[in-house]
């Protein structure tokens, strides 16, 4: 993989890239960076052009003075895609990156060839207690002394906690999720939902709802494991993705 930077709206955005062919753009969760996708990219890049972006304010991307709203993230994602002249994109989305990616896709449908979800915010969960507890636990990471964690726990990450609708029910992000969730139920863009049992964000009820509601969707259970810990799941994840492309 190559590590690259490009200037978007006056800030440097970092990304990993490997391979040639169909364009696959990976967006990470928060906390997280493009590196989380490395085990999958090493396998998928043999047959496709893989790009994994560090969202603005996260990883090795710059941290300009922003509100780090979803609108900010979407603006920089659009700038990144336009600067690289990416077309016919398959988006692979996880966590907070799924909100950014789906908000972008809803407004730029002509750029999108496919959508892949893993631990993604596909809709607002009706029973949010388990999810809320998970994000409350994340808040405790702020005091952790690990250098790796410090790299991930940027101002942009703490903004995502503040804006998470399972922490703040009045967050404007809730409306954004509702808007693209309605769009997902109408768009014919092909979709792939990969999960390992029931997840933290994509609960069993949402998997069932998606399977019944979203058009042109394929759902695959990768078995025992966690799609948040991709290294041990990389072979299964990559194989499922390539078979579906």
């Amino acid at each position: 993989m190559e590590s690259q930077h490009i200037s978007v709206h006056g800030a440097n955005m970092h990304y990993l890239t490997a391979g040639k062919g169909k364009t696959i753009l990976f967006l990470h969760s928060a906390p997280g960076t493009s590196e989380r996708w490395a085990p999958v990219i090493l396998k998928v890049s043999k047959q496709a052009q893989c790009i994994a972006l560090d969202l603005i304010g996260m990883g090795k991307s710059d941290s300009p003075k922003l509100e780090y709203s979803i609108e900010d993230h979407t603006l920089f994602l659009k700038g990144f895609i336009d600067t690289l002249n990416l077309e016919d994109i398959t988006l692979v989305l996880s966590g907070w990156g799924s909100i950014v990616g789906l908000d972008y896709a809803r407004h730029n449908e002509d750029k999108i060839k496919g959508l892949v979800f893993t631990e993604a915010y596909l809709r607002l969960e009706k029973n949010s207690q388990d999810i809320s507890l998970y994000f409350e636990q994340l808040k405790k990471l702020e005091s952790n002394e690990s250098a790796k964690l410090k790299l991930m726990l940027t101002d942009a990450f703490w903004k995502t906690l503040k804006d998470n609708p399972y922490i703040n029910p009045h967050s404007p992000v809730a409306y954004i999720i509702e808007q693209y969730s309605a769009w997902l139920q109408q768009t014919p863009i092909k979709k792939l939902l990969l999960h390992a049992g029931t997840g933290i964000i994509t609960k069993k009820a949402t998997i069932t709802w998606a399977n019944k509601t979203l058009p042109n969707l394929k759902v695959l259970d990768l078995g025992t494991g966690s799609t948040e810990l991709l290294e041990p799941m990389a072979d299964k994840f990559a194989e499922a993705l390539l078979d579906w492309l």
Side-chain angles (χ1 to χ4, degrees), residues 129-203:
Q129 182 177 2
D130 292 342
I131 301 174
S132 299
L133 288 173
Y134 169 73
F135 287 106
E136 291 291 349
Q137 290 172 350
L138 278 181
K139 288 183 177 180
K140 299 176 182 179
L141 293 176
E142 189 172 16
S143 61
N144 193 293
E145 295 300 323
S146 164
K148 187 174 182 180
L149 279 175
K150 289 294 183 183
L151 177 66
M152 295 189 293
L153 304 185
T154 61
D155 289 343
F157 165 67
W158 294 111
K159 174 65 173 177
T160 69
L161 281 185
K162 180 180 178 182
D163 279 353
N164 193 290
Y166 299 119
I167 296 293
N168 176 13
H170 303 292
S171 167
V173 174
Y175 177 74
I176 292 172
I177 294 174
E178 289 175 348
Q179 289 293 104
Y180 71 60
S181 184
W183 170 75
L184 281 172
Q185 296 174 58
Q186 300 173 1
T187 179
I189 292 173
K190 69 175 185 176
K191 309 166 188 73
L192 174 65
L193 173 55
L194 298 176
H195 66 99
T198 185
I200 296 170
I201 297 170
T202 306
K203 309 298 286 184

Side-chain angles (χ1 to χ4, degrees), residues 48-99:
Q49 178 191 25
C50 295
I51 300 170
L53 171 67
D54 281 339
L55 295 174
I56 193 67
M58 301 185 188
K60 296 179 182 177
S61 289
D62 285 351
S63 298
K65 291 184 178 180
L66 300 171
E67 289 296 320
Y68 291 103
S69 64
I70 293 299
E71 290 82 1
D72 286 334
H73 281 295
T74 303
L75 177 68
F76 275 85
L77 174 60
K78 183 178 187 304
F80 177 85
I81 289 171
D82 290 346
T83 301
L84 288 182
N85 296 313
L86 303 181
E87 302 281 350
D88 295 326
I89 306 163
T90 294
L91 287 174
V92 181
L93 307 170
S94 178
W96 204 251
S98 69
I99 302 176

